[in-house]
Amino acid sequence: MLRTSENRTMARLLIVHHTPSPATSELFDAVLRGASDPEITGVEVARRAALAATASDVLAADGLVLGTPANLGYMSGALKHFFDQVYYPCLDDTRNLPYGLYVHGNLGVEGAVRAVESIAGGLGWQRVVEPVQITGPPDKAALEACWELGATVAAGLME
């Protein structure tokens, strides 16, 4: 079901990401490729850096993919800033919004996953796929998992 204007004929997937490193950039690119697969039709893919994404972006989205590095066991400050900016403006109007998550870190990423899931849960968003958790340099399996994440969330928006 489209959440926005009846004039729009395509569902919109919003990818909100913080990509400060080559590793997180590789993962973001894999998510984007998966979400943009030509077999997925009727879904527009929008992407916003976490520091630039707004409540209007979220309110216009039919689904989300969130991407962050794990910094000292927590999500990036940029993604936390995104949540701080959109939480109350989106609280009532985005319940049940489907989302997926990918997290990259050089050590543990569990704290970052837990923090994102806690805030997304407070917003009433629905995780539709297990989070992709990558530690260390992204390998082929990590890139494939991110591709699958993007494709799965996007395909779930097809009518």
Side-chain angles (χ1 to χ4, degrees):
M1 177 169 133
L2 298 178
R3 308 178 69 79
T4 59
S5 167
E6 293 176 15
N7 295 332
R8 197 176 83 209
T9 59
M10 294 179 59
R12 178 174 291 157
L13 173 64
L14 175 64
I15 304 172
V16 177
H17 62 98
H18 184 59
T19 55
S21 69
T24 53
S25 184
E26 279 186 82
L27 299 173
F28 167 73
D29 289 343
V31 169
L32 184 59
R33 282 192 309 275
S36 303
D37 186 280
E39 291 187 31
I40 299 170
T41 59
V43 179
E44 171 191 7
V45 179
R47 50 194 156 172
R48 299 285 183 274
L51 290 174
T54 66
S56 295
D57 292 323
V58 176
L59 291 167
D62 300 296
L64 294 171
V65 173
L66 306 168
T68 183
N71 295 329
L72 303 172
Y74 196 70
M75 75 180 92
S76 70
L79 193 64
K80 177 62 168 77
H81 174 79
F82 161 75
F83 278 127
D84 289 345
Q85 297 303 305
V86 306
Y87 193 90
Y88 287 110
C90 295
L91 183 60
D92 293 328
D93 296 323
T94 61
R95 294 229 172 257
N96 298 313
L97 187 69
Y99 83 94
L101 169 67
Y102 66 97
V103 180
H104 173 266
N106 290 323
L107 300 172
V109 299
E110 300 82 8
V113 170
R114 193 169 34 256
V116 170
E117 289 187 332
S118 176
I119 296 170
L123 284 159
W125 296 353
Q126 299 299 312
R127 187 183 75 200
V128 294
V129 62
E130 286 296 314
V132 175
Q133 302 179 51
I134 299 105
T135 304
D139 58 12
K140 183 178 177 184
L143 295 173
E144 288 174 357
C146 283
W147 187 97
E148 282 290 329
L149 173 71
T152 299
V153 178
L157 301 178
M158 290 174 39
E159 289 189 16

